Each structure stands twice: as structure tokens, then as C-alpha cells.
Amino acid sequence: KQEVTQIPAALSVPEGENLVLNCSFTDSAIYNLQWFRQDPGKGLTSLLLIQSSQREQTSGRLNASLDKSSGRSTLYIAASQPGDSATYLCASPEVEGFQKLVFGTGTRLLVSP
Amino acid sequence: EPEVTQTPSHQVTQMGQEVILRCVPISNHLYFYWYRQILGQKVEFLVSFYNNEISEKSEIFDDQFSVERPDGSNFTLKIRSTKLEDSAMYFCASMMSRGINSPLHFGNGTRLTVT
């Protein structure tokens, strides 16, 4: 059964810094891994999806990598801005139940001006 | 950009009452889901729905829960007799196809408070 964990639970950085958020998963036979952003009291916005055959995906200032052998994914945010402040979640489909996403607990990011 | 919409944004109900949470998935999507997030906890899968039937459900999704797609656009989650522990944020999601490159799109959620 897939388990997903994220560290750190919270991160505070000054504006302009580059930062890395970490996501670990227990079953390396994953189909894909998806990164989401959640603003307080809001829904989940899909940021990036990496297929199992890919090593990384990029969208603007965001870059997500995937290393199946080590069971890790990272989300790199370049030149952070206060508007990046949110909780970032990673999720992967349960291996046996393809449609069911297993989420990490998230990293709460605060970017101060 | 098309989005998943959910109503209401906040629902307060008394224990034992029935509630219906409503969702309009993205129009050309075929797979529909409900997830929930209890305050401070992980987002949890509840149920998936395809071709007018449940395709998978979690152990949370007991007989008190039901889902329906009454017409071509709406997708509902009903809780027959709410309990205090049902208080959570409920998210609807939809997906176009069941492919490894098909992301899940979430709505903004309905915050359910059971008193």
C-alpha cells in the first residue's frame, strides 16, 4: 500500500530565495506523481504531474523531479514570491487502485516580503 | 480554463440530518471523485465514479454515504445521517481519462460543519 510523506511540514523563507520541497513514497512502482497547491480554505490546484517514465517536469518557476529508485520527488521553486505562500501537497495513485490518490500531509510555505 | 465547481461553499447542519453536497465536474471529463480533508489531516479518498456507477470506494464510504449523477452535469454526495466526525472539507474532482498523464482537477470544496 502506497504511503506518502512530506518534509518539512512548514517552511519560511524570504522573498527571492530558491527552495526545495520534498516528497517521499514507499512503493516505487508508481504510475505518476502530482504536485498540488492549496491556499487556506480553498481547493487543490494541480501544479505538475510527472509520469513514471519521466525524470522531471517544468512549469514556469516550478520544477518537479522524480526518482523512483529512491522513492522521492522534489518540487523546486525558483525566485520565490509572497504569492507562492500556500500549502504544497504531493500525491500518487494507489498502485492497485489506479484512480485513488494517496496524499502527503503537505508543506506549508510562507514567503515573506 | 474549465473548472470544477462545488456548492455550497459552507454547509452547517445538525447531527443526524441529511446533507447533499453538489458538484459540477468539467464538462468533457468521464471520471468523478469525492475526497475529504478533516482539519489538520491528509486529504483522503472517498469514492470514484465512472459510467454511472461506483468504481472504487474507501472504508470511510459506508452505508451513510451515497453518490449520484442525476443528469449530465451534476455529481452529488449525500450523507444520510451526519455525525460530528463528518465535519470536514469535501472536495469533488474530475479527470478526463484514466491515463498516466491525466491530472485530477479539484473544486474549491465544501466545508461541512456538523453541530
Side-chain angles (χ1 to χ4, degrees), chain B residues 43-60:
Chain B
V43 177
E44 307 173 283
F45 168 82
L46 290 179
V47 66
S48 59
F49 191 87
Y50 170 71
N51 200 25
N52 283 320
E53 61 182 26
I54 290 173
S55 48
E56 191 171 358
K57 60 184 181 179
S58 72
E59 58 274 11
I60 302 168

Side-chain angles (χ1 to χ4, degrees), chain B residues 5-92:
Chain B
T5 56
Q6 291 185 244
T7 56
S9 57
H10 192 188
Q11 173 96 43
V12 181
T13 189
Q14 288 190 327
M15 194 167 53
Q17 296 296 304
E18 174 184 286
V19 294
I20 297 176
L21 310 183
R22 302 182 190 279
C23 170
V24 179
I26 295 173
S27 62
N28 61 344
H29 284 190
L30 300 176
Y31 296 84
F32 313 111
Y33 305 81
W34 285 100
Y35 284 76
R36 79 173 186 187
Q37 185 179 32
I38 295 171
L39 188 64
Q41 298 186 22
K42 291 185 179 185
V43 177
E44 307 173 283
F45 168 82
L46 290 179
V47 66
S48 59
F49 191 87
Y50 170 71
N51 200 25
N52 283 320
E53 61 182 26
I54 290 173
S55 48
E56 191 171 358
K57 60 184 181 179
S58 72
E59 58 274 11
I60 302 168
F61 195 88
D62 61 22
D63 291 345
Q64 292 300 309
F65 291 87
S66 63
V67 289
E68 193 176 39
R69 189 157 161 81
D71 53 42
S73 60
N74 291 288
F75 180 50
T76 62
L77 174 69
K78 180 193 291 186
I79 309 175
R80 289 189 182 80
S81 178
T82 51
K83 302 187 283 283
L84 294 176
E85 54 265 38
D86 293 328
S87 295
M89 189 77 130
Y90 288 81
F91 295 109
C92 173

Side-chain angles (χ1 to χ4, degrees), chain A residues 1 4 31-32 34 36 38 41-44 46 49 51-52 89 97-101 103-105, chain B residues 31 33 35 37 42-43 45 48 55-56 89 91 98-104 106-109 111:
Chain A
K1 185 177 176 180
V4 179
Y31 290 96
N32 60 48
Q34 200 167 350
F36 294 89
Q38 184 177 27
K42 299 292 185 183
L44 307 173
S46 178
L49 181 149
Q51 296 177 45
S52 61
L89 302 169
F98 180 74
Q99 303 171 53
K100 175 177 134 182
L101 286 183
F103 281 83
T105 46
Chain B
Y31 296 84
Y33 305 81
Y35 284 76
Q37 185 179 32
K42 291 185 179 185
V43 177
F45 168 82
S48 59
S55 48
E56 191 171 358
M89 189 77 130
F91 295 109
R98 193 177 161 175
I100 60 173
N101 196 33
S102 190
L104 204 53
F106 284 81
N108 279 334
R111 180 171 299 285

